[in-house]
Amino acid sequence: MIKTRFLCSLKVSAVVALSLSVYATGAKAEEIMIGGTGAALGTMQMLADAYTKQHSDLSFKVLPSLGSGGGIKAMLASSIQIAVSSRPLKAAETQAGAVSFEYGSTPFVFVTPTTTKADGITTQNLVDIYAGHLKQWPDGGQIRLVMRPIGDSDSEIIKNISPAMRDAKSAAEQRKGMLFTVTDQETADSIETTPGALGPSTLALVLSEKRSLKILSLDGVVPDAKSIADGTYPLFKRMYIVTGPKLSPAAQGFVKFVGSPAGRDILTQTGHWVK
């Protein structure tokens, strides 16, 4: 956890330095910088691309993953204009002036390389895999877990599946030789390139970034917008845009666009349930 926070701090510091450098060199004021949770970055890039087709005087920079907390911190430091988060605001962030807008929900999914000969998994399978009892896919290939750090939001979602899952995930975190990744993109990269890998992601990331990943059904239910809307698929992330009290008119226009019919169409295409 300490390592994760240290890496996040380094990334936020880098964003601050980049921002100061951009302004020092007289970059256009119309550039809007977006950063935060990796689960939202591909979708934000698609929304930004669509918006700039209507507003050619604007440009967007979607930064590499800072994490939800890192993005909010960078926004409050005025290093970026818009943060994206997969969690609600904390009281201290609200008190500091942050305002959030929930733009949709996307399924939290388990993924594997497209070459894996499996289309689904059960909750009991997951318990057995994380506990170290189930080590092979049905075709005999080795299962290689890709893990998120202790205390990471993805780790907590997995642990909250059931008490047995919490025990199994905690046991996996203590086993030697486990592969840990820090960001959503690092996780997707590792799963794509590791034969037999299994790990967490979101439907929005897989679709918006056109990842070569197979999304597994869970207990026979396919994760999509419909299945989280009707409650048949239980795992999902609520996604938020977070801004400060002094948002520029250009950035305000983009936030409104996200909630517009055109923006909602893009959200739907990228695996979001929009209420």
Side-chain angles (χ1 to χ4, degrees):
M1 183 64 178
I2 293 174
K3 179 180 178 182
T4 304
R5 288 176 176 170
F6 175 68
L7 289 172
C8 182
S9 178
L10 285 178
K11 290 178 180 178
V12 173
S13 298
V15 171
V16 173
L18 173 62
S19 177
L20 292 174
S21 174
V22 167
Y23 293 132
T25 55
K28 293 181 180 179
E30 293 82 1
E31 182 177 66
I32 298 172
M33 298 179 72
I34 303 174
T37 178
L41 301 182
T43 300
M44 287 299 117
Q45 187 64 64
M46 291 178 65
L47 287 163
D49 290 345
Y51 192 65
T52 51
K53 289 180 179 179
Q54 304 173 13
H55 300 81
S56 58
D57 56 323
L58 299 178
S59 64
F60 287 80
K61 182 182 287 296
V62 179
L63 300 173
S65 179
L66 301 171
S68 295
I72 295 169
K73 184 176 180 181
M75 185 278 299
L76 289 172
S78 299
S79 298
I80 61 176
Q81 290 75 43
I82 296 173
V84 279
S85 173
S86 59
R87 63 164 175 79
L89 290 173
K90 297 178 180 179
E93 294 164 343
T94 301
Q95 292 169 3
V99 178
S100 68
F101 157 59
E102 183 180 339
Y103 64 84
S105 299
T106 189
F108 177 86
V109 298
F110 290 93
V111 295
T112 186
T114 55
T115 53
T116 301
K117 291 181 172 59
D119 296 316
I121 202 164
T122 68
T123 300
Q124 187 58 54
N125 289 156
L126 287 172
V127 171
D128 292 339
I129 290 168
Y130 277 88
H133 305 318
L134 180 57
K135 300 179 181 181
Q136 293 183 322
W137 292 104
D139 66 353
Q142 183 180 351
I143 298 173
R144 296 176 171 89
L145 273 177
V146 177
M147 303 274 288
R148 296 301 294 266
I150 299 172
D152 178 88
S153 62
D154 284 9
S155 292
E156 290 306 304
I157 289 175
I158 294 170
K159 288 181 176 180
N160 288 336
I161 291 175
S162 70
M165 190 71 242
R166 177 170 292 275
D167 292 342
K169 177 67 164 61
S170 296
E173 290 169 346
Q174 303 305 316
R175 284 203 300 275
K176 293 182 179 180
M178 300 301 289
L179 174 59
F180 286 86
T181 53
V182 176
T183 70
D184 295 311
Q185 280 67 34
E186 288 173 357
T187 303
D189 290 343
S190 293
I191 298 170
E192 279 182 327
T193 57
T194 304
L198 173 69
S201 190
T202 61
L203 181 60
L205 186 151
V206 175
L207 295 181
S208 66
E209 298 186 11
K210 297 179 172 58
R211 290 283 183 164
S212 297
L213 293 169
K214 181 182 292 185
I215 298 168
L216 299 173
S217 63
L218 180 63
D219 295 324
V221 180
V222 175
D224 56 23
K226 180 179 182 299
S227 59
I228 62 171
D230 64 21
T232 54
Y233 189 84
L235 308 178
F236 60 91
K237 286 187 175 184
R238 299 182 188 276
M239 307 300 293
Y240 302 86
I241 282 178
V242 184
T243 60
K246 298 181 180 180
L247 193 63
S248 70
Q252 289 178 17
F254 175 72
V255 173
K256 290 181 180 178
F257 172 74
V258 173
S260 72
R264 290 167 66 95
D265 284 346
I266 293 172
L267 292 174
T268 300
Q269 294 167 22
T270 53
H272 292 81
W273 173 45
V274 184
K275 296 180 181 179

